[in-house]
Amino acid sequence: MDSLEAQSAGLAAAEVSSVELVDAALARIEAADATLNAVVGVRGDAARAEAAAADARRSAGDRRSPLDGVPLLLKDNMVQQGEPTTCSSRILEGFVSPYDSTVVTRLREAGAIVLGRSNMDEFAMGSSTEHSVHGPAHNPWDTGRSCGGSSGGSAAAVSSGMLPFALGSDTGGSIRQPASFCGVTGLKPTYGRVSRFGLVAFASSLDQIGPIARTARECAWILDAIAGHDAKDSTSIPEPAPRVSDALDGDVSGLTIGMPREYFEEDGADPEVVSCVRAAISELERGGAKLIEVDLPHTPFVVSTYYLVATAEASSNLARYDGARYGRRAEGVSDVDEMYRRSRSEGFGDEVKRRILLGTYVLSAGYFDAYYRKAQQVRTLVRADFERAFAQCDVIAGPTYPEVAFELGSKQDDPINMYLSDVYTVSANLAGLPAISIPCGLVRDLPVGLQLQGRAMDEATLLRVADGFQGRTDHHDQRPPGHLGQAAR
Amino acid sequence: MQRITRQDVERTADLARLSLTEAEIVALTRDLDRILEHADQLKDLDTESTVPTAHAIVLPTPQRADEPVPGMDVESALANAPLREGSAFVVPKVIEGEES
């Protein structure tokens, strides 16, 4: 009983209580996290009390949503009142949030139980969950390999059966790539679909919160709980979010799936990964979808564009960590400038410093037009690519990542190489589009992700295709070797 | 062509209020140079008449009624202060030569 769907059904049928689910999750974290390091903090007593309240409420006939009574993890960059938020950074050492993020408020309204916080790359900057003050998280499929990042702890926790679902955040692939590495389903909604209030900002025009679970159907339930306008986030979409779970009918017939030529010609992608993804897309064709080739001609430029835009925004957002009001202040400082410099230099890790520096450089006098403005212009061209493609197709399909999970430490010395592998994921952020990674098979005993990208605002069609695929296949039912849930199933 | 010099890194670090070690300066000079070398590919694209995108999903500037709502109370706002006194954050002296 490790999936959200199973736990939700068990609760609805009163076969299990929320308190039992919380206790079981705590026991699994206790058993597995010494190896995986996916979880950076639990609130066991508070969660147990909330679970008891949820049990009492549901037995009185008040069941709020399919998430009611189900435990989850928050990525450690979403704040919850009275709880620490570290962003895996030394600079937020000791920080306890004075307020709730909107996603926490909405999850509580839906009856879900926040059990704890998941490991991540520092300030969500990375694709491996190695850049963490808490140490690296490990992939449940092979603990010598990365679980991806930056929402790696969330994906590893769901994959290993610690919890049925988790929230992640995605600025350039940080939900989808770890979902791909760990064999779970991860959704990045349309920019503005989920409020960013209480999400620690990395790159404000790209950041978006989304769910990680086993299936597209579960992701739809979670999105239904957390989506919608929020007056506290001026970039949140003002229209009411449609209930996407209603759109899932298991049928993909009549839909047109676009396969970008550029995604399948990509040099450097693992050929076995590409053929696994091709086979998955053929399954959609067998379900009645029509496959066509489309062009996304600016694909070779998306990584450069992304890293210029994202680091520029990050350098500005991370200026707030100055040691003055919250977080860690360097000791023994004699003037305010030294307080800023030493607090920041001691508090930030290598990858964060690298990105702050790049972002500061591209925004500085003399380079702004050549780099930052240029990247914003190319961002327009990337958006136009997708507009043209979506005139011909309903969903765009391809690999989530050019390879399966890599070995921990194998890319630490080569950040540029790590950045280039984000070629399939960053476009959805640049163009604001919804995108999902779903498990589509194994290569050398490691999971491969199929990425589907959809039209802005149209999570419904995206999830319908993903759900249709999962209705025809069982890749999402595969569990890592020695999976904790196996004994209980 | 080297795009980034050691002096560029030192100047930029100063703007970002970061103090770097010698090893960090060497590594970051190399990394930034390589990243910008790759980014130079964007120069091949004609964007003369392209409008820049700041936000992909274009929304009207939201407006709301001008109604006062309570903000965070002082105790909560100060709860994470590294150093506080009364209702204030305490930081080292900013302006030289003025003793209070």
Side-chain angles (χ1 to χ4, degrees), chain A residues 94-96 98-99 190-191 204-205 234-238 298 300-301 304-305 308 313 323-327 329 333-337 339-341 344-345 348 350 353-354 356-358 360-362 364 367 371 373-381 383 414-416 419-420 429-432 456-457, chain B residues 3-4 8-21 24 27-32 34-62 64 72 76-84 89-96:
Chain A
F95 175 81
V96 173
Y99 69 101
T190 305
Y191 179 79
S204 303
S205 82
S234 63
T235 62
S236 78
I237 297 165
H298 293 94
F301 303 98
S304 294
T305 304
L308 295 176
E313 293 186 15
R325 294 150 299 154
Y326 54 87
R329 179 183 296 185
V333 290
S334 58
D335 65 55
V336 81
D337 191 61
M339 178 184 80
Y340 296 153
R341 285 173 198 278
R344 290 166 64 77
S345 305
F348 291 135
D350 290 344
K353 285 179 186 170
R354 182 155 45 224
I356 289 175
L357 221 58
L358 178 62
T360 305
Y361 182 80
V362 302
S364 64
Y367 303 100
Y371 291 114
R373 187 180 154 83
K374 184 79 184 183
Q376 286 191 311
Q377 289 173 314
V378 180
R379 191 174 178 188
T380 304
L381 301 177
R383 283 172 67 201
D414 193 356
I416 291 91
Y419 297 170
L420 289 173
N429 303 82
L430 290 170
M457 317 286 179
Chain B
R3 285 156 189 78
I4 296 287
D8 291 324
V9 168
E10 287 173 336
R11 180 184 61 88
T12 309
D14 189 52
L15 289 172
R17 297 294 185 270
L18 289 170
S19 304
L20 302 176
T21 64
E24 284 176 323
L28 286 163
T29 304
R30 181 199 62 210
D31 291 348
L32 260 57
R34 282 194 57 203
I35 294 167
L36 291 173
E37 181 188 353
H38 187 75
D40 271 350
Q41 63 165 192
L42 300 187
K43 291 181 177 154
D44 296 340
L45 292 170
D46 178 8
T47 53
E48 190 65 40
S49 56
T50 309
V51 179
T53 292
H55 271 268
I57 307 294
V58 180
L59 298 173
T61 302
R64 57 176 162 77
M72 190 177 287
S76 300
L78 283 167
N80 282 292
L83 204 59
R84 63 172 287 190
F89 296 100
V90 174
V91 296
K93 195 167 62 174
V94 179
I95 301 166
E96 290 299 323

Side-chain angles (χ1 to χ4, degrees), chain A residues 185-440:
Chain A
T185 299
L187 170 70
K188 181 202 96 73
T190 305
Y191 179 79
R193 182 61 88 198
V194 178
S195 170
R196 293 184 292 111
F197 180 75
L199 169 70
V200 177
F202 161 12
S204 303
S205 82
L206 305 165
D207 296 342
Q208 182 60 199
I209 295 173
I212 295 176
R214 295 263 173 217
T215 66
R217 176 169 299 276
E218 294 168 345
C219 286
W221 287 349
I222 301 159
L223 184 63
D224 281 339
I226 62 176
H229 181 249
D230 179 13
K232 292 172 179 166
D233 175 1
S234 63
T235 62
S236 78
I237 297 165
E239 295 94 75
R243 265 179 64 90
V244 287
S245 52
D246 292 342
L248 311 181
D249 57 7
D251 186 10
V252 298
S253 62
L255 292 170
T256 305
I257 313 288
M259 298 172 67
R261 258 176 271 272
E262 296 79 5
Y263 287 14
F264 293 91
E265 288 165 358
E266 185 63 36
D267 296 335
D270 181 335
E272 286 185 72
V273 167
V274 175
S275 64
C276 179
V277 168
R278 274 188 187 281
I281 298 172
S282 303
E283 188 56 44
L284 291 169
E285 190 176 28
R286 278 191 287 280
K290 185 180 157 198
L291 306 186
I292 63 164
E293 279 203 326
V294 294
D295 283 304
L296 297 171
H298 293 94
T299 300
F301 303 98
V302 295
V303 172
S304 294
T305 304
Y306 170 79
Y307 278 94
L308 295 176
V309 170
T311 57
E313 293 186 15
S315 73
S316 175
N317 274 325
L318 272 62
R320 74 191 63 176
Y321 302 100
D322 56 9
R325 294 150 299 154
Y326 54 87
R328 188 178 176 282
R329 179 183 296 185
E331 289 181 16
V333 290
S334 58
D335 65 55
V336 81
D337 191 61
E338 189 192 359
M339 178 184 80
Y340 296 153
R341 285 173 198 278
R342 283 202 25 228
S343 297
R344 290 166 64 77
S345 305
E346 294 169 15
F348 291 135
D350 290 344
E351 183 62 25
V352 173
K353 285 179 186 170
R354 182 155 45 224
R355 297 201 194 190
I356 289 175
L357 221 58
L358 178 62
T360 305
Y361 182 80
V362 302
L363 289 177
S364 64
Y367 303 100
F368 181 90
D369 284 342
Y371 291 114
Y372 182 62
R373 187 180 154 83
K374 184 79 184 183
Q376 286 191 311
Q377 289 173 314
V378 180
R379 191 174 178 188
T380 304
L381 301 177
V382 173
R383 283 172 67 201
D385 278 0
F386 280 89
E387 276 167 31
R388 274 191 297 273
F390 282 124
Q392 300 169 263
C393 65
D394 299 299
V395 160
I396 290 172
T400 303
Y401 203 69
E403 55 185 315
V404 292
F406 47 78
E407 285 177 19
L408 283 167
S410 65
K411 299 205 176 189
Q412 287 278 50
D413 298 331
D414 193 356
I416 291 91
N417 183 279
M418 183 111 93
Y419 297 170
L420 289 173
S421 297
D422 297 337
V423 61
Y424 305 128
T425 49
V426 296
S427 296
N429 303 82
L430 290 170
L433 308 173
I436 191 168
S437 179
I438 57 179
C440 72

